[in-house]
Amino acid sequence: MKKHLLTLSILLLFKTVVSAAVDSDSSFTETEIVLQTPTGQIFGTLTTPHEADKVPVALLLAGSGPTDRNGNNPLGVKTDAYKQLAHALAEHHIACLRFDKRGIAASWKAGASNEAGLRFEDYINDAAGWIALLRNDKRFSSVIVVGHSEGSLIGMVAAKKANKFVSVAGAGESADKILKTQLAQNLKTLSDSASQVIDSLKAGKTVSRFNIQLFALFRPSIQPYLISWFKYDPQEEIKKLKIPILVIQGTTDLQIPVDDAKRLKAAQPKAQLVLINHMNHALKKAPDNREENLKTYNNPALPIDGELVASLAGFINGK
């Protein structure tokens, strides 16, 4: 991976495409930027407050699936959560970079046509590339990695050269364990068969024969990615960080339970832990009721959780 990171750092390019204030009364400016990687361009949006002095910048790493820079995806999720978060942080004099993951939205050409060639390390390398780019930008006083959901684990591995790290709704166990738990809860009749496949992938071995009903999850082209993903244990990765850490978890998150945040805190006792009442995985206020909770996943008018913004701003600004 070091070789890939070196190659990536050589190819880093900051490229201004569009620069315009969101509106005449806005306290921030949004600029399109591009990260050049060996396999294609990654496109992002940099939100900068109108400050004369240097400001900290947060690198926002998106969750799993086809999630774009704004926190939306074509599978029925429209929250604008990441865009709202970037704008809210600007009000606290914090810049924010959010981007479309490789293969997603504007970044679709960066490895999108070769699923079998994708590895979890590709996401880590992309995050490390953005960190290097931001560290070399004289406008910023510090770089803070903020990883949401799957982005939490990516950020943990990539954040070694950042100044601070924040996990928001990050898993507290490795992906193979999480998959087993989810399958046992939702596909009980297939959980035993799935566990055998997962165990093989965890050992680094692909599987050619398995229940056809599991094809979407374990199709041959995705198995190399799963092998690369299963290698990383968030409890082990968070132990390696020597920088200030904040772990944030909502109490009405339907995907990541509070216990996962507590596992991260136990693995890294120096980390700060903040539990936010009634915040869900979409980073919005939501009730325990599953049906009502899920409605927030398609309501971009619903604002970002205010306590999340306050907690992030306080940590980033050193308060």
Side-chain angles (χ1 to χ4, degrees), residues 247-268:
V247 176
I248 298 177
Q249 180 61 48
T251 63
T252 53
D253 192 320
L254 299 176
Q255 292 159 259
I256 301 293
V258 169
D259 283 347
D260 278 47
K262 292 180 178 179
R263 289 186 181 99
L264 295 178
K265 167 65 175 176
Q268 178 52 276

Side-chain angles (χ1 to χ4, degrees), residues 279-296:
M279 186 181 79
N280 69 359
H281 202 70
L283 310 182
K284 309 294 180 80
K285 287 296 184 188
D288 290 311
N289 178 273
R290 182 177 180 85
E291 183 177 347
E292 293 300 314
N293 193 308
L294 290 174
K295 287 181 180 179
T296 70

Side-chain angles (χ1 to χ4, degrees), residues 1-318:
M1 190 174 83
K2 289 182 179 179
K3 180 179 179 181
H4 292 160
L5 288 174
L6 179 60
T7 302
L8 187 60
S9 65
I10 294 173
L11 293 172
L12 288 178
L13 172 66
F14 181 85
K15 179 180 177 183
T16 301
V17 181
V18 178
S19 180
V22 174
D23 57 60
S24 59
D25 298 323
S26 176
S27 60
F28 59 84
T29 297
E30 297 211 303
T31 305
E32 293 290 304
I33 64 174
V34 178
L35 177 71
Q36 300 283 4
T37 80
T39 56
Q41 296 177 315
I42 308 294
F43 293 84
T45 299
L46 179 66
T47 304
T48 52
H50 294 166
E51 294 290 319
D53 298 326
K54 285 188 174 183
V55 296
V57 58
L59 172 63
L60 185 56
L61 303 179
S64 61
T67 305
D68 68 15
R69 74 185 78 180
N70 293 327
N72 307 320
N73 72 48
L75 303 179
V77 176
K78 175 70 174 178
T79 68
D80 277 350
Y82 299 160
K83 179 168 70 173
Q84 291 177 356
L85 181 55
H87 295 176
L89 289 176
E91 298 295 329
H92 292 269
H93 315 300
I94 299 167
C96 184
L97 172 60
R98 62 192 195 273
F99 62 94
D100 296 329
K101 297 188 298 184
R102 59 174 50 243
I104 305 301
S107 304
W108 71 273
K109 289 185 178 180
S113 62
N114 182 21
E115 181 180 72
L118 183 66
R119 299 292 184 272
F120 193 71
E121 287 82 5
D122 291 324
Y123 294 132
I124 295 170
N125 289 340
D126 291 342
W130 285 117
I131 293 169
L133 184 152
L134 294 171
R135 283 175 61 88
N136 289 326
D137 193 315
K138 302 303 181 183
R139 292 174 295 176
F140 306 126
S141 58
S142 59
V143 178
I144 298 86
V145 174
V146 181
H148 174 235
S149 190
E150 183 185 60
S152 169
L153 178 56
I154 294 168
M156 284 180 201
V157 184
K160 294 176 178 60
K161 291 188 177 180
N163 298 97
K164 296 180 180 180
F165 171 71
V166 183
S167 169
V168 181
E173 296 184 300
S174 56
D176 57 297
K177 292 181 180 178
I178 294 173
L179 274 179
K180 282 186 176 182
T181 299
Q182 291 178 342
L183 289 167
Q185 293 173 343
N186 301 305
L187 290 173
K188 295 180 180 180
T189 58
L190 296 173
S191 63
D192 288 343
S193 298
S195 291
Q196 293 177 13
V197 178
I198 291 171
D199 287 341
S200 179
L201 297 176
K202 177 70 173 180
K205 300 177 181 178
T206 57
V207 179
S208 58
R209 299 182 63 182
F210 52 88
N211 192 311
I212 191 63
Q213 295 180 70
L214 297 170
F215 184 83
L217 183 59
F218 299 123
R219 58 193 180 278
S221 60
I222 200 66
Q223 288 188 30
Y225 175 81
L226 294 176
I227 289 173
S228 69
W229 187 21
F230 291 172
K231 292 189 300 184
Y232 294 94
D233 182 341
Q235 293 180 50
E236 294 302 319
E237 296 304 327
I238 200 169
K239 288 179 183 177
K240 299 175 184 177
L241 291 177
K242 307 300 182 183
I243 57 178
I245 299 168
L246 173 63
V247 176
I248 298 177
Q249 180 61 48
T251 63
T252 53
D253 192 320
L254 299 176
Q255 292 159 259
I256 301 293
V258 169
D259 283 347
D260 278 47
K262 292 180 178 179
R263 289 186 181 99
L264 295 178
K265 167 65 175 176
Q268 178 52 276
K270 293 182 180 179
Q272 299 179 40
L273 173 62
V274 173
L275 302 180
I276 300 179
N277 287 329
H278 302 297
M279 186 181 79
N280 69 359
H281 202 70
L283 310 182
K284 309 294 180 80
K285 287 296 184 188
D288 290 311
N289 178 273
R290 182 177 180 85
E291 183 177 347
E292 293 300 314
N293 193 308
L294 290 174
K295 287 181 180 179
T296 70
Y297 285 61
N298 197 27
N299 184 6
L302 193 65
I304 197 80
D305 189 287
E307 189 175 347
L308 168 65
V309 175
S311 298
L312 278 172
F315 177 73
I316 292 172
N317 287 324

